[in-house]
Amino acid sequence: MSDTGTNETRPPVAVIGTGRMGAAMAVRLREGGFAVTAYNRTRAKAEATGAAVADTPREAAAAADVVLVSLADDTAVREAYGGQDGVTAGLRAEAVVVETSTVAPETVTALAPLVEKAGAALLDAPVSGSVVFVEQGRLTVMAGGDASALEQARPVLDVLASHVVHVGPAGTGAAMKLAVNSLLLGLNQALSEALVLAERAGVAREAAYEVFAAGAAGAPFVQYKKDAYLHPESATVAFTLDLVAKDLDLALALAERVRAPMHQAAANRRLVGEAAEHGLGQRDLSALAEFLRGDRRP
């Protein structure tokens, strides 16, 4: 990546949570010349990013003007913000917290007052895209919250993303991410079913996938998941079926609250639950095709 910025345009950054996505973000930002401080409950994962490593979320937040949070679920997010060692205890005045985790809108609205009490601002800004998209700076960010806070965080987000969309007030970013994932996970199930249908009708897996990728439904997801679908036995785990189930539960809860019909998401959730019951919960979401083939080994 080219080094075109200055120290003034590169605010110090904290990354809370260095799983697959958080770690990739920390590395990308470091390579872009940002000073990055990372925190993860498993310290070795934070150390692997090459960033400075904090012992607590509070310590990481205290070192940053922009705090990126990337955690697995609502419980982990709430725990990271609260308490004497939490994010909010260490926030600098006028800092921006960028919550990139996939959580319920209600979690965002519960955390916002805690962040604001510290004199900082909270953006719920989840992302669409894989680790490869992070590495290439091609994420899509859907940001909810104050527009001025978004502009303050843009020097960081623009290194990670090719599209940053302000979707509305606090909570709308989280809602938009659930809508995005509902679409993505519907595509995952449809692709899995279509691939197995073609195989059982006598079409070679590779040929069927080539047609899908070249046709009208050949979305970016279909393109970058090719190896995972063609070689499920060696697929890199990018998005586990257990996390798929979690996200679909959040989407369905939101749908019930706003009275939006989501028949497809409900059907997807049932099948993902069956796959998890057969031991595939920690496998990549592309393993749904394997489940449909009847190969249900963990």
Side-chain angles (χ1 to χ4, degrees):
M1 178 170 45
S2 62
D3 187 8
T4 58
T6 65
N7 288 337
E8 287 73 24
T9 61
R10 296 196 202 101
V13 180
V15 177
I16 310 296
T18 52
R20 284 181 288 271
M21 291 293 283
M25 290 179 190
V27 170
R28 171 81 178 175
L29 291 168
R30 279 189 57 248
E31 291 175 346
F34 288 81
V36 180
T37 302
Y39 168 77
N40 196 76
R41 285 186 298 180
T42 304
R43 185 181 177 90
K45 290 185 177 180
E47 291 173 343
T49 67
V53 178
D55 291 325
T56 64
R58 176 179 182 167
E59 181 184 334
D65 290 336
V66 177
V67 181
L68 292 177
V69 182
S70 178
L71 296 168
D73 55 35
D74 295 70
T75 298
V77 168
R78 288 175 182 268
E79 289 177 351
Y81 280 72
Q84 63 180 7
D85 288 326
V87 168
T88 56
L91 283 174
R92 298 177 177 183
E94 300 185 358
V96 176
V97 182
V98 182
E99 181 52 70
T100 71
S101 313
T102 302
V103 296
E106 294 88 343
T107 295
V108 174
T109 55
L111 293 173
L114 302 179
V115 173
E116 291 163 3
K117 185 177 180 181
L122 177 65
L123 289 174
D124 60 311
V127 302
S128 179
S130 65
V131 167
V132 171
F133 280 54
V134 178
E135 294 169 347
Q136 297 174 348
R138 293 174 53 219
L139 290 173
T140 295
V141 175
M142 52 214 87
D146 187 76
S148 62
L150 176 58
E151 289 308 306
Q152 190 177 336
R154 269 192 181 273
V156 175
L157 297 178
D158 285 345
V159 173
L160 302 172
S162 57
H163 291 87
V164 178
V165 182
H166 187 210
V167 295
T172 56
M176 188 69 235
K177 178 58 185 293
L178 296 178
V180 166
N181 275 13
S182 296
L183 176 60
L184 179 75
L185 300 174
L187 179 57
N188 179 61
Q189 180 159 330
L191 179 57
S192 297
E193 291 179 357
L195 188 60
V196 173
L197 173 64
E199 289 176 31
R200 290 193 176 174
V203 180
R205 185 181 305 176
E206 291 79 4
Y209 206 95
E210 181 178 353
V211 172
F212 294 147
F221 175 81
V222 179
Q223 307 293 338
Y224 73 73
K225 293 298 286 186
K226 178 179 179 180
D227 287 344
Y229 280 97
L230 295 186
H231 308 289
E233 69 285 350
S234 58
T236 298
V237 178
F239 190 174
T240 68
L241 284 169
D242 281 342
L243 285 178
V244 168
K246 183 268 293 185
D247 286 4
L248 286 171
D249 284 341
L250 289 175
L252 289 167
L254 175 61
E256 183 175 2
R257 181 165 66 83
V258 301
R259 302 182 67 181
M262 293 194 74
H263 307 294
Q264 177 73 61
N268 294 346
R269 179 61 180 89
R270 286 192 295 272
L271 185 64
V272 168
E274 291 177 18
E277 288 172 3
H278 283 83
L280 298 178
Q282 288 302 303
R283 294 282 297 278
D284 184 69
L285 79 172
S286 58
L288 203 59
E290 200 170 349
F291 175 73
L292 292 171
R293 290 186 192 100
D295 185 357
R296 300 175 182 177
R297 293 169 296 178

